[in-house]
């Protein structure tokens, strides 16, 4: 992913302070955690890049259903997020059923479901994902204020993705106020819900688009 950017950049002596924003459901982590560690964090550790991880996810008190993924009455292990080894102060866990009620999904149903799913199920899940990313970003901002620090780079990623390429640290040199790195597939209008690398200014805009 994003291999075309790497050739344009070279390592600099200044090492950026990086924030990783995890968001969404963690039900796939037993299958992805080893890949995430190997493809993302091992390379950053190798180059002594400082990073801090944040997460917002959901706690389920009822079985989970996602018709588009053929998931029917799945019992979610609410402790899977712990595989990411993120400190409690950098973690937000919301009750899934409560947030679904508070979001009032009907406000988002003025047009047909773009995925064509019955009962707007996929659209509702997308809204939940954007809400989750927004909350993870808020946790990062809260951390900055508490610790009197500022992150240079903001990386958003989902815990259910498998990465095909090793993270190239040259990508950290690409983002500025006009450029953001996203995968070169499955993107729309300059956004992608799987992965992004941005500077702090653009990263906050991109990761808090739920507010818009």
């Amino acid at each position: 992913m994003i291999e075309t950017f790497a050739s344009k950049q070279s390592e600099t002596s200044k090492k950026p302070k990086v924030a990783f924003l995890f968001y969404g459901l963690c039900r796939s982590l037993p299958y992805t955690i080893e890949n995430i560690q190997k493809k993302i964090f091992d390379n950053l550790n190798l180059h002594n890049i400082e990073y801090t991880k944040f997460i917002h996810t959901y706690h389920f008190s009822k079985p989970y259903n996602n018709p588009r993924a053929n998931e029917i009455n799945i019992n979610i292990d609410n402790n899977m997020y712990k595989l990411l080894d993120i400190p409690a102060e950098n973690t937000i866990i919301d009750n899934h059923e409560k947030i679904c009620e508070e979001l009032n999904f009907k406000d988002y149903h003025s047009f047909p479901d773009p995925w064509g799913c019955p009962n707007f199920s996929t659209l509702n899940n997308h809204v939940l994902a954007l809400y989750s990313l927004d909350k993870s970003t808020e946790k990062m901002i809260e951390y900055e204020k508490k610790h009197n620090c500022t992150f240079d780079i903001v990386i958003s990623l989902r815990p259910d993705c498998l990465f095909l390429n090793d993270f190239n640290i040259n990508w950290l040199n690409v983002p500025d106020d006009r450029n953001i790195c996203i995968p070169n597939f499955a993107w729309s209008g300059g956004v992608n819900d799987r992965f992004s690398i941005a500077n702090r200014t653009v990263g906050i805009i991109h990761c808090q688009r739920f507010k818009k």
Side-chain angles (χ1 to χ4, degrees):
M1 72 171 65
I2 335 175
E3 290 177 320
T4 54
F5 288 110
S7 62
K8 300 178 183 179
Q9 302 295 320
S10 61
E11 282 194 66
T12 62
S13 57
K14 181 181 181 297
K15 294 181 179 180
K17 188 178 179 66
V18 179
F20 280 92
L21 307 182
F22 285 93
Y23 69 100
L25 305 187
C26 294
R27 67 193 188 283
S28 302
L29 264 178
Y31 308 101
T32 62
I33 186 62
E34 183 177 346
N35 170 269
I36 292 171
Q37 181 64 46
K38 179 180 179 181
K39 296 293 187 179
I40 305 294
F41 296 121
D42 283 356
N43 206 29
L44 292 178
N45 293 336
L46 179 64
H47 291 88
N48 296 314
I49 302 296
E50 180 183 357
Y51 59 87
T52 305
K53 295 179 286 187
F54 302 88
I55 187 171
H56 172 278
T57 188
Y58 295 100
H59 178 281
F60 288 81
S61 55
K62 298 179 181 179
Y64 172 71
N65 289 277
N66 183 356
R68 187 164 181 253
N70 294 318
E71 295 173 301
I72 307 299
N73 292 327
I74 302 297
N75 291 316
I76 300 289
D77 181 349
N78 291 313
N79 292 311
M80 285 186 183
Y81 73 94
K82 295 180 180 179
L83 293 173
L84 287 167
D85 193 27
I86 300 177
E89 73 161 329
N90 299 351
T91 300
I92 302 177
I93 302 175
D94 276 322
N95 180 272
H96 181 263
E97 291 78 18
K98 180 181 179 182
I99 298 301
C100 285
E101 293 178 1
E102 293 180 355
L103 285 175
N104 192 18
F105 290 130
K106 290 184 178 180
D107 290 343
Y108 300 89
H109 297 172
S110 56
F111 293 95
D113 186 324
W115 290 275
C117 295
N119 302 317
F120 294 90
S121 58
T122 300
L123 178 59
N124 294 346
N125 285 337
H126 183 61
V127 172
L128 283 165
L130 289 179
Y131 174 88
S132 183
L133 179 55
D134 175 78
K135 292 301 177 182
S136 186
T137 309
E138 287 185 359
K139 178 56 71 171
M140 178 198 73
I141 296 172
E142 177 186 302
Y143 179 96
E144 289 179 322
K145 293 178 179 178
K146 180 179 179 180
H147 295 274
N148 191 27
C149 67
T150 302
F151 290 100
D152 302 301
I153 297 293
V154 176
I155 298 177
S156 67
L157 65 168
R158 286 174 12 190
D160 64 344
C161 288
L162 285 172
F163 293 89
L164 303 181
N165 302 93
D166 292 329
F167 188 95
N168 188 326
I169 62 169
N170 290 330
W171 296 338
L172 299 176
N173 299 320
V174 175
D176 55 30
D177 288 345
R178 295 177 59 85
N179 294 289
I180 184 172
C181 294
I182 60 173
N184 59 4
F185 65 93
W187 60 275
S188 176
V191 296
N192 189 297
D193 69 347
R194 290 171 176 81
F195 189 81
S196 69
I197 311 173
N199 69 8
R200 185 184 184 279
T201 300
V202 176
I204 289 177
I205 295 171
H206 182 259
C207 295
Q208 291 198 314
R209 58 192 187 274
F210 170 80
K211 287 181 166 51
K212 300 297 182 181

